[in-house]
Amino acid sequence: MTAPIIRRLADLRAIHRNWIRAGEVVGVVPTMGALHAGHLSLVEAAKAACDRVIVTIFVNPKQFNSPEDLANYPRTEHADADKLSPYGVDVIYVPDPEEVYPSGFASSVTVAGVTDVMEGAKRPGHFDGVATVVAKLFLQTGAHQAFFGEKDYQQLLVVRRMARDLDIPIEVIGCPTVREASGLAMSSRNMRLSDAALVQAGKLHPILMRLASDLAAGGNFDDLVGPAKADIAAAGFDEIEYLSLCAADDLRPLNNAVCPARLFVAAWLEGVRLIDNVAVEPAAK
Ligand code: PAF
């Protein structure tokens, strides 16, 4: 059954009040729409853990770095509602823009530290936009649990830090990245790639996994990063913005896998910026 689409905060709160009175656990899956199997896996996780599930769809202007990117972002509300219908979601919250950013809105949430590197460094203001909208969505939905994909691992840490720092009573749950058979991480950006580029993009994950396994075997990142970048370029990528090894808990840069770590990459293919990351096991001492 298709879930009701709610556009006004007052209507969402009226429904939410009944759930809370009944002692139900509420989960939220924040999205910007253009739903794919990665989002649907978050919905499945939320359904398994919670009595009630809200999926939010809001293309957040504050997190885009260019007006063209915002304008080109796919808006597919009807298709998204159809995709959600088999999952028994309780509400699809598609807030009117003024419900999120009413006239005169003048506040912003900034998370320091985990935003200093990678996406935070390359996309100024992006995480302020994410943290601000997610704080609002957490407060508006009153959810007990929120589900985010590890595909955007840095975003997951930013949102977790923000909720802790602001005492928002919500558990932020990270869910594994969903991949195509090739290993390519699911992303709404993939739909902008040609068939040939999709094949090239599929080569990224095996390169990351090889590098992760060399690091787990005791390899040194400084020695391994050059050859790995050459492999990514040979796969057909036009530009590598970063390939970084960071601690999994706070994203401090590492040269060896001395603790649970992650490898992160951002690279361009056919004018599309792709990001991915994989876990790196700590190397045996
Ligand atoms: O990951 C996304 O789709 C967005 O960054 C989010 C978390 C929905 C905030 O707009």
Side-chain angles (χ1 to χ4, degrees), residues 30-33 39 56 58-60 63 73 126 129-130 133-134 137 148 152 155 159:
T31 82
M32 296 205 297
H39 297 111
T56 70
F58 180 68
V59 181
N60 173 32
Q63 71 184 77
Y73 198 85
H126 168 69
V130 170
V133 80
V134 173
L137 293 171
F148 288 84
D152 295 302
Q155 168 173 277
V159 164

Side-chain angles (χ1 to χ4, degrees), residues 193 196-198 200-201 235-239 267-274:
L193 294 173
L198 281 170
Q200 293 172 311
F237 282 83
D238 307 313
E239 187 198 329
W268 289 82
L269 185 59
E270 269 187 351
V272 180
R273 186 174 184 275
L274 299 177

Side-chain angles (χ1 to χ4, degrees), residues 103-134:
S103 148
F105 186 87
S107 303
S108 180
V109 179
T110 296
V111 178
V114 287
T115 57
D116 291 347
V117 293
M118 300 185 292
E119 295 303 287
K122 295 285 178 190
R123 302 181 62 190
H126 168 69
F127 282 130
D128 287 1
V130 170
T132 303
V133 80
V134 173

